[in-house]
Amino acid sequence: MRSKIVFAFGAAASADYDEGLSAKLIHLNAALDCNWKSGQHAEIKSWSCGYACDNAGPVTDVELLDFKLLSSFGIVANYGGQCLVSFRGTKDLINDIEDGDILFAKPYPECPDCKVHGGFHGNWKVLAGATRKALAALDCAPGSSKPVLITGHSLGAAMAALALFDLVGEGYNVKTAYTYGQPRVGDANFAKEFDARMAGVSYYRVTNFKDAVPAVPTKWMGYRHVGPEVYYHATQLGAYKVCDGDEDPTCNDNWNLITVLQHTCDHCSYLGLNPCHCSSVAPDCTEPRAEADDPNFVVPPGLLPPSNASVVV
């Protein structure tokens, strides 16, 4: 029997979250994984990648977004009667964040105090021009009545959030945006401006049980989530709640780093599906699991706060 816990808070109504659409977008995100190591994207261009493409919904007229130097990749396409923007994720985002560029950037003249992750922002900016050009070709330029849908998983979720912030601000008719396993992308000032800008968008940041990626970059580094969050407490359809605010302690933020880093398989196990692997039908794991966590697990040093920080990990 499916369990379902749904609460509505503030402006986010639970009825706005469409789980049927969400499941299709999980398949769509998985489709972008096809042949990613080889760099050959013919199956994505023709939308003929098999299981993931067949279950992702009505994708046509695919335009590839590709910047190989940063391994940034995405698509713009028609999706029924709307335009679709989707960015590919990575399976190793925890390592990328621990070892990579976590310095803040301040790229918004209209919000000079807003700071975002420099690496994530760079991944989006190298595709931004091609994204706008592809949207215009599909009659989704600013001022068009044709709606835009944005999605992404993992790194792709971070890129989707930053693209969403820019495109909404530029007048694109973005109506829907679902991200999966999204890391924190900016500071509290950015989160406040983002939430205000999304007033007319059905935006949901979907998290899965103890997925570690939404826990990073950490709050002690100065990062804060944007909202609202849809939290799945089990690896199955229906097992979700719509959370309160950007950092709800009863949702994914309930778990500390020691716990979530022992559940990295949750990152590829959303809604009982697998957003990471093009040909995989099953999630990487099923939660909640029976085995206990290791109390002696060691958090990688790059994710620990300095000794003088008063933040619990």
Side-chain angles (χ1 to χ4, degrees), residues 160-238:
L162 294 169
L164 177 61
F165 185 78
D166 283 355
L167 296 178
V168 169
E170 293 165 15
Y172 287 81
N173 188 28
V174 183
K175 290 297 186 184
T176 307
Y178 288 7
T179 67
Y180 304 88
Q182 179 183 314
R184 295 183 179 95
V185 298
D187 68 351
N189 291 322
F190 174 78
K192 181 179 179 180
E193 180 65 22
F194 181 99
D195 290 349
R197 195 171 287 193
M198 294 307 116
V201 181
S202 180
Y203 164 75
Y204 286 99
R205 179 174 59 83
V206 184
T207 62
N208 180 47
F209 199 52
K210 299 178 183 179
D211 184 357
V213 172
V216 294
T218 58
K219 286 185 282 187
W220 72 260
M221 295 175 178
Y223 287 85
R224 293 294 183 273
H225 266 306
V226 296
E229 176 185 3
V230 174
Y231 173 66
Y232 279 79
H233 54 85
T235 313
Q236 64 185 52
L237 290 169

Side-chain angles (χ1 to χ4, degrees), residues 4 7 13 21 42 49-50 58 66 82 93 143 177 236 240 308:
K4 186 173 183 179
F7 303 100
L21 171 63
C49 66
D66 195 5
Q82 56 194 327
L93 191 58
Q236 64 185 52
Y240 71 88
N308 61 349

Side-chain angles (χ1 to χ4, degrees), residues 17 19 22-23 26-27 29-30 90-91 153-154 180-181 206-214 230-237 239 252 262-277 280-289:
Y17 174 66
E19 192 177 57
S22 193
I26 291 290
H27 291 301
N29 279 285
T90 173
K91 301 175 184 65
H153 169 256
S154 192
Y180 304 88
V206 184
T207 62
N208 180 47
F209 199 52
K210 299 178 183 179
D211 184 357
V213 172
V230 174
Y231 173 66
Y232 279 79
H233 54 85
T235 313
Q236 64 185 52
L237 290 169
N252 181 265
Q262 296 180 73
H263 292 255
T264 54
C265 64
D266 288 3
H267 193 53
C268 295
S269 307
Y270 273 67
L271 284 69
L273 304 169
N274 195 316
C276 295
H277 306 290
S280 179
V281 177
D284 275 9
C285 61
T286 300
E287 298 282 16
R289 293 182 289 180

